[in-house]
Amino acid sequence: MTTLNYIPFDSHVHFRRGAMLRTVVPYTARQCWGAVVMPNTATPHILTPDDADAYRNEILFASHPVVGENFVPLVTGYLTPKTDPIDIAHGYKKGKWHGMKVYPPGATTHSNEGVAARDLLTHPALPVMADIGMPLLLHPEVNALHGDIVDPYDRERLFVDTLEELLYRYPTLRLSVEHVTDEATARFMMSYGKTGQVVCTITAQHLLFDRRDLHEDGWQPHLFCYPILKRKKSRDAVIALATGGFGFVSAGTDSAPHPTHAKERAAGCAGGVFSAHIMVELYAQAFANAGALDKLEAFLCVNGPRFYGLKPCPGTVNIVESARAIDAMIAIEGGDKLRPFGFHEDPSKAFKLRYRPIFH
Ligand code: NCD
Ligand code: ZN
Ligand code: ZN
């Protein structure tokens, strides 16, 4: 058995809005005391401090029946070419939002209103954010270059120059490189990572799987997410980063729910893995595989909140060995269905969980 002396925190999660939000928030609230919530809500995105306020209230309303007042959503804003730096600073100082998220247009789900890498470097928000210490969260992918579509497996490594350029231009900027998947980004973090200033998050699927798993049996839509799973060499580099005991690396599930009709269809597949229901189980399994369960507590509970200026939340979580499988689909009000990661109608194909967290 492994014991955590703090409650987990998810540094990167998608809740959506409405019926989907009401369905998924309880899963995160049961395992985490707080989470950094992504702003690509699409209907519309979280564009202003007032949007952030309303969104926070919607999340609290959904978590209340499960954990009462005990859930802390840190809402982020969606950076567009038009975002006003004054709005950004005002919302940050009032505690309405806790960072600005950048999506290169076309790089991922609901990213079309975002900011391309080359425009980001001169966005008027950046000097203001560097000045007030407000985090910039990056989806680090280049999807188009010189008018051509970039190979999905190269998108992340081609963003590394932008990361270096950002730090060169704004040495005090606080950056969170979201969901590291490529060995080039892992290398960048090993050289530039700095607790409290240049940090990154890592998902469970990028620790447990690589592209061989994505292409198993032809194609696994429920392992398809942005950035795409890379080859084993990259996965190994990401595992080394996650389990290396660095204060600048934290768990961010990137749990990204899509109804099954958007993932299981004749053409196209929405990117995103819904993993919030088994966050602790998956990370524990990945750290156990690497013989690094002693490094799990800092990664899962301490490093994430620290970057956002919060103390870790004391509590006891016993992680016990216990084999099980996810045994049911999740129904969403209105008739949609959500496939929880790991569930398969054929039990022999369901993901085999090896751990179970017991919260005290
Ligand atoms: C995320 C989503 O569905 O919102 N999808 C994903 O594949 N990761 C967007 C994102 O985090 O890039
Ligand atoms: Zn992303
Ligand atoms: Zn995400």
Side-chain angles (χ1 to χ4, degrees):
M1 186 179 82
T2 298
T3 298
L4 306 175
N5 297 302
Y6 298 100
I7 309 295
F9 178 91
D10 190 345
S11 297
H12 180 139
V13 69
H14 298 266
F15 286 152
R16 318 303 185 199
R17 299 203 84 148
M20 182 64 98
L21 176 147
R22 289 192 291 280
T23 306
V24 299
V25 163
Y27 289 102
T28 296
R30 276 188 206 109
Q31 292 210 333
C32 297
W33 66 273
V36 180
V37 188
M38 294 300 125
N40 60 336
T41 48
T43 54
H45 303 304
I46 307 306
L47 300 173
T48 67
D50 286 347
D51 294 344
D53 242 3
Y55 192 39
R56 183 171 165 276
N57 286 334
E58 189 179 345
I59 297 164
L60 289 176
F61 200 71
S63 60
H64 196 271
V66 192
V67 291
E69 311 285 306
N70 295 324
F71 186 65
V72 180
L74 304 184
V75 173
T76 56
Y78 191 118
L79 192 79
T80 76
K82 294 198 202 117
T83 311
D84 183 349
I86 295 174
D87 258 9
I88 293 182
H90 173 78
Y92 185 61
K93 286 179 184 158
K94 292 250 172 226
K96 293 182 181 221
W97 55 22
H98 299 264
M100 295 304 293
K101 177 75 190 279
V102 179
Y103 294 98
T108 184
T109 309
H110 305 323
S111 61
N112 288 345
E113 293 72 30
V115 180
R118 64 173 186 284
D119 302 326
L120 179 63
L121 295 166
T122 54
H123 195 295
L126 266 61
V128 174
M129 292 174 69
D131 197 38
I132 63 175
M134 182 178 185
L136 182 73
L137 285 64
L138 299 159
H139 177 104
E141 286 198 288
V142 176
N143 56 310
L145 207 56
H146 314 305
D148 214 1
I149 295 175
V150 173
D151 185 307
Y153 291 98
D154 293 331
R155 285 175 174 196
E156 186 174 310
R157 67 177 187 82
L158 291 174
F159 198 87
V160 172
D161 284 353
T162 305
L163 295 176
E164 289 184 339
E165 179 80 24
L166 273 169
L167 288 178
Y168 179 74
R169 289 196 191 204
Y170 307 101
T172 61
L173 189 62
R174 300 183 62 223
L175 281 185
S176 178
V177 181
E178 299 300 322
H179 43 50
V180 173
T181 76
D182 194 298
E183 60 170 330
T185 325
R187 221 179 296 122
F188 168 86
M189 287 309 305
M190 298 273 197
S191 350
Y192 290 87
K194 195 170 163 201
T195 303
Q197 198 212 334
V198 182
V199 304
C200 67
T201 62
I202 296 177
T203 78
Q205 69 266 23
H206 291 99
L207 297 171
L208 287 166
F209 307 102
D210 56 59
R211 69 190 200 180
R212 294 169 303 174
D213 305 291
L214 180 64
H215 293 283
E216 197 186 319
D217 273 343
W219 172 250
Q220 300 292 328
H222 295 283
L223 267 182
F224 174 61
C225 63
Y226 299 104
I228 200 161
L229 292 171
K230 304 294 188 298
R231 58 170 70 245
K232 181 169 182 301
K233 199 159 164 248
S234 275
R235 174 181 163 198
D236 288 343
V238 174
I239 292 171
L241 181 65
T243 59
F246 303 108
F248 51 82
V249 185
S250 73
T253 58
D254 194 17
S255 178
H258 291 276
T260 33
H261 64 75
K263 295 213 47 100
E264 302 170 11
R265 60 184 174 186
C269 176
V273 174
F274 174 68
S275 57
H277 57 301
I278 46 172
M279 167 181 181
V280 176
E281 288 89 328
L282 293 177
Y283 282 119
Q285 197 150 327
F287 274 60
N289 291 347
L293 278 170
D294 59 320
K295 301 286 193 319
L296 186 62
E297 181 182 276
F299 174 83
L300 208 54
C301 316
V302 180
N303 299 345
R306 179 170 47 209
F307 181 65
Y308 291 93
L310 299 172
K311 291 200 161 55
C313 177
T316 304
V317 186
N318 288 327
I319 301 178
V320 296
E321 284 189 49
S322 154
R324 95 188 146 99
I326 304 297
D327 55 11
M329 292 288 283
I330 297 171
I332 301 165
E333 272 165 59
D336 277 347
K337 289 232 152 41
L338 175 64
R339 183 181 293 269
F341 181 75
F343 174 69
H344 198 291
E345 285 76 2
D346 172 353
S348 74
K349 294 191 173 159
F351 183 72
K352 292 175 186 61
L353 294 167
R354 298 208 313 267
Y355 293 90
R356 179 195 289 279
I358 301 169
F359 292 80
H360 293 278

